[in-house]
Amino acid sequence: MSFINAIFGYPLGWIMWAIYHIVPIYGLALILFTLITKLAMVPLMVKQQKSMAKQTAFSPRLQEIQNKYKNNKEKMNEEMMKLYQEEGYNPMSGCLPMLVQFPILFGLIDVIYNPLKHIMRFNSELIDQAMEIVTGLGFTGNLYSREISVINAVKQNPDAFMSLGADFVQKIEDFNFVFLGIDLSAVPTLAFNLLILIPILSGLTSILLSLQSIRQQKQTMGENAAGSSMTKGMMLFMPVMSLVIAFQVPAGVGMYWIFTNLFSWVQSLLLNKYYNPKEMAEKAQAEAEARREELRRQKLEAKAKLRESMTEAERIKFDAQEQAKKEKNKAKREAAAAAAAAKAAEVDEEILAKALSEKEKNRRKLAEARRRDAEKYGEEYVEVTDDDLK
């Protein structure tokens, strides 16, 4: 994974380097870097939203195929591919934006975690030597804060790193991690200070983004799709993970997550305004119906031309075959309707049987109560009627 991070982090690192040299404030450079990368991914998000809306337009037909051929996977896949071809839909079109975003995300992580490499442009050999000195001094750090551990160690004990050159030490000492009174190189703890705001805001903005995502899914795919247990679980899982991990990484990483969540939330609001999921789904559905109607028209025209080219005997045979097809399709529709009606009738009978059994239970309970009262008070027993059960 670190290899992938490094590959995609290299070009993004130059962007961060350029921003920092224009605005030499790490926190502000981080915000601008996040904004630029989010803007660069807007076309992918638009494409993904359009793909989702298009799929929603023919999802009832897709569900019908899946139910009809649930015991025949090969036939199901064949019919689904026919549907995709008919609708002009590529199943991979919805996944492509996400696949592109993943390597970009890995690159972003590499840039945020490695300021020595990407902002100060030190080579890997020099950074490794600095890490050896840090280890010898007893400074602790994790996978996410190796280079930031070096920066903190240099600022606390610059003499220990003089063997790496005065330029190395000077660059790091001049690098200012403080932004809005918060040291972005420090790892937040549960202590009562400004740093604790980073994990809290990271979790809260993640919740905000999750709620917006659920709202968008409801608009596009309906209540059932957005209300699944998996979706709700992810909505809770991501903010909790964001909160927990933000206590284990430098505050700069947590701050990056905060602004990523905020920019993503704003981006989602704007996309929903200018590319409304419901309106796009309705438009896609209308376009799909228009395509189906055009296909039907083309088929009818093709049949008419074929019939015109036939002899009289061939026409009679052709008309007979077409009539047989119509009757066969009609029989299939009637059979399907009859099956659906029979299934509905079975459900009604079950409900009726259950209701009658409940009624009979109540009748017996009331009759038993009347017998006890009759024996106790010497009264005449009166049979339970349907009116007594109302």
Side-chain angles (χ1 to χ4, degrees), residues 115-339:
L116 291 180
K117 178 171 68 175
H118 293 295
I119 299 178
M120 299 182 211
R121 312 308 297 183
F122 292 130
N123 60 53
S124 57
E125 183 180 351
L126 191 60
I127 294 172
D128 289 340
Q129 291 175 10
M131 278 303 305
E132 291 178 6
I133 297 174
V134 168
T135 303
L137 293 173
F139 278 84
T140 58
N142 54 39
L143 177 64
Y144 310 109
S145 59
R146 289 175 70 251
E147 293 194 6
I148 293 177
S149 295
V150 171
I151 293 172
N152 289 333
V154 169
K155 289 185 175 182
Q156 292 184 36
N157 189 357
D159 292 338
F161 295 87
M162 281 299 177
S163 60
L164 302 180
D167 182 60
F168 177 84
V169 175
Q170 190 62 48
K171 275 189 176 181
I172 291 179
E173 287 186 325
D174 291 342
F175 194 86
N176 186 10
F177 269 106
V178 178
F179 182 67
L180 299 178
I182 298 175
D183 183 1
L184 298 181
S185 68
V187 177
T189 64
L190 291 174
F192 188 72
N193 52 39
L194 286 176
L195 271 177
I196 200 172
L197 291 176
I198 298 293
I200 292 173
L201 290 176
S202 179
L204 289 176
T205 53
S206 182
I207 291 174
L208 183 68
L209 184 59
S210 295
L211 291 174
Q212 175 62 19
S213 177
I214 293 294
R215 180 171 172 269
Q216 181 179 335
Q217 287 183 29
K218 285 181 179 179
Q219 290 179 338
T220 309
M221 306 179 71
E223 293 286 340
N224 293 335
S228 66
S229 57
M230 183 179 293
T231 303
K232 291 178 179 178
M234 286 300 294
M235 189 182 76
L236 294 173
F237 176 76
M238 293 305 293
V240 170
M241 285 300 297
S242 180
L243 177 67
V244 171
I245 296 176
F247 274 109
Q248 303 174 33
V249 296
V253 177
M255 185 176 180
Y256 164 72
W257 290 346
I258 291 169
F259 284 101
T260 295
N261 291 336
L262 288 175
F263 290 145
S264 297
W265 178 71
V266 173
Q267 185 183 72
S268 181
L269 287 178
L270 293 175
L271 282 175
N272 284 346
K273 180 178 180 181
Y274 294 103
Y275 298 94
N276 185 275
K278 186 177 180 181
E279 292 176 0
M280 289 175 65
E282 290 173 352
K283 183 180 178 181
Q285 192 167 4
E287 290 174 351
E289 183 58 37
R291 282 195 302 272
R292 288 193 291 270
E293 188 61 37
E294 178 62 19
L295 285 172
R296 284 194 290 268
R297 187 187 65 79
Q298 290 176 0
K299 287 180 180 179
L300 288 173
E301 286 181 356
K303 284 182 180 179
K305 287 181 181 179
L306 178 63
R307 189 176 183 278
E308 287 176 4
S309 66
M310 294 177 179
T311 63
E312 186 63 29
E314 288 174 336
R315 286 177 187 174
I316 293 172
K317 184 179 179 180
F318 179 80
D319 291 342
Q321 289 175 342
E322 289 298 306
Q323 184 62 32
K325 286 180 183 179
K326 288 180 181 179
E327 291 177 357
K328 185 178 180 180
N329 290 333
K330 182 180 178 182
K332 282 183 178 180
R333 290 194 298 269
E334 290 176 350

